[in-house]
């Protein structure tokens, strides 16, 4: 009996340790609590992914006629979003989902083919539960701090565009072009000091691009 109890206790410790080791678990839990306390409605447009969406502070204000849930977290990657898909997306029964992943993935050295596999799995899991939900994959943005990886970002965006054209209820939200200046480089005045995340001017440009997808 003691041996059985010891084994059971060990399994509980292992299970608890695994749960604690999931990337961004604490942040996802805290964000979920904030969303629940603020209140939300089924059928909202869910924005999720990494910090470029998380830091879009006036997102709801820019689209006042659409119920929006922003569940983005940290510097996440597509495979990490998959780990938290239930808590960040599926439980909300969304009508639209906007996903920004790929930026950090490339910066972390992930292969583009692996990123696409993860994006495909995200879309597939969402559609398996909600066939009529539109999945909007946000293209990787250009940023001065990661401009040395431009070729990889362009290649990823091309594959996302191809994927969107061959899958029902999937769109690409092209934020790349509007963020490029006449010289072909990222606009210098739309970023904060880290040259990675955007300021209000940057998000104003995003609003222009996202507006057709919010109707």
């Amino acid at each position: 009996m003691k041996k059985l109890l010891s084994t059971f206790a060990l399994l509980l410790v292992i299970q608890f340790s695994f749960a604690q080791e999931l990337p961004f678990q604490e942040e996802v839990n805290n964000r979920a609590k904030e969303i629940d306390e603020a209140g939300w409605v089924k059928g909202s447009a869910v924005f999720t992914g990494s910090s470029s969406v998380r830091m879009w502070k006036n997102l709801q204000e820019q689209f006042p006629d659409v119920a929006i849930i922003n569940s983005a977290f940290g510097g996440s990657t597509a495979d990490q979003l998959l780990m938290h898909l239930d808590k960040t997306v599926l439980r909300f029964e969304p009508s639209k989902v906007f996903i920004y992943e790929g930026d950090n993935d490339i910066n972390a050295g992930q292969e583009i083919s692996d990123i696409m596999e993860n994006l495909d799995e995200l879309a597939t899991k969402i559609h398996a539960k909600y066939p009529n939900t539109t999945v909007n994959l946000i293209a990787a943005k250009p940023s001065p701090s990661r401009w040395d990886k431009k070729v990889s970002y362009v290649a990823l965006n091309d594959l996302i565009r191809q994927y969107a054209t061959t899958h029902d209820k999937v769109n690409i939200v092209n934020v790349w072009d509007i963020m490029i200046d006449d010289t072909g480089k990222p606009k210098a005045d739309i970023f904060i000091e880290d040259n990675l995340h955007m300021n209000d001017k940057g998000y104003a440009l995003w609003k222009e691009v996202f507006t057709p997808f919010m109707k």
Side-chain angles (χ1 to χ4, degrees):
M1 184 66 178
K2 288 183 178 179
K3 185 177 181 180
L4 181 61
L5 289 174
S6 297
T7 302
F8 179 68
L10 179 60
L11 288 173
L12 286 177
V13 170
I14 293 173
Q15 184 178 15
F16 178 77
S17 298
F18 177 76
Q20 292 296 103
E21 289 172 1
L22 280 179
F24 299 105
Q25 184 67 67
E26 183 177 358
E27 183 178 349
V28 169
N29 289 342
N30 290 339
R31 187 71 193 105
K33 183 180 179 182
E34 292 173 359
I35 292 170
D36 289 343
E37 289 176 348
W40 53 272
V41 296
K42 295 178 182 179
S44 296
V46 172
F47 282 69
T48 194
S50 60
S51 53
S52 290
V53 168
R54 178 176 56 83
M55 295 172 67
W56 197 346
K57 300 301 184 182
N58 63 343
L59 174 58
Q60 182 65 80
E61 296 174 19
Q62 289 185 324
F63 299 100
D65 298 328
V66 180
I68 293 173
I69 297 170
N70 188 337
S71 64
F73 56 98
S76 64
T77 54
D79 55 319
Q80 292 167 342
L81 177 58
L82 277 167
M83 299 176 189
H84 301 289
L85 193 62
D86 285 333
K87 187 162 283 188
T88 58
V89 176
L90 298 181
R91 72 189 184 100
F92 299 120
E93 300 183 28
S95 58
K96 306 172 189 289
V97 181
F98 293 84
I99 297 173
Y100 187 74
E101 297 291 11
D103 194 337
N104 295 319
D105 314 53
I106 285 177
N107 191 57
Q110 291 190 27
E111 296 292 333
I112 294 176
S113 58
D114 293 334
I115 300 170
M116 287 306 304
E117 285 183 12
N118 290 325
L119 292 176
D120 173 54
E121 189 172 353
L122 285 166
T124 299
K125 286 189 172 182
I126 293 169
H127 283 149
K129 192 162 187 177
Y130 307 115
N132 294 321
T133 295
T134 303
V135 176
N136 301 287
L137 301 176
I138 306 169
K141 72 181 190 302
S143 60
S145 66
R146 295 180 177 175
W147 196 235
D148 59 317
K149 299 177 178 66
K150 171 190 174 183
V151 172
S152 295
Y153 286 121
V154 170
L156 174 63
N157 288 345
D158 285 343
L159 288 178
I160 293 175
R161 186 175 294 104
Q162 293 175 35
Y163 181 86
T165 60
T166 55
H167 289 75
D168 292 335
K169 296 287 185 179
V170 178
N171 298 315
I172 179 174
V173 184
N174 177 18
V175 297
W176 181 278
D177 292 348
I178 201 170
M179 298 176 70
I180 296 293
D181 65 20
D182 293 337
T183 69
K185 294 182 178 180
K187 294 178 179 177
D189 63 343
I190 62 173
F191 295 92
I192 61 176
E193 291 77 9
D194 64 5
N195 279 323
L196 174 62
H197 298 100
M198 295 175 294
N199 57 27
D200 289 343
K201 286 185 178 180
Y203 285 113
L205 294 180
W206 273 35
K207 180 181 183 293
E208 291 183 37
V209 176
F210 278 79
T211 295
F213 297 93
M214 300 298 283
K215 295 179 180 178

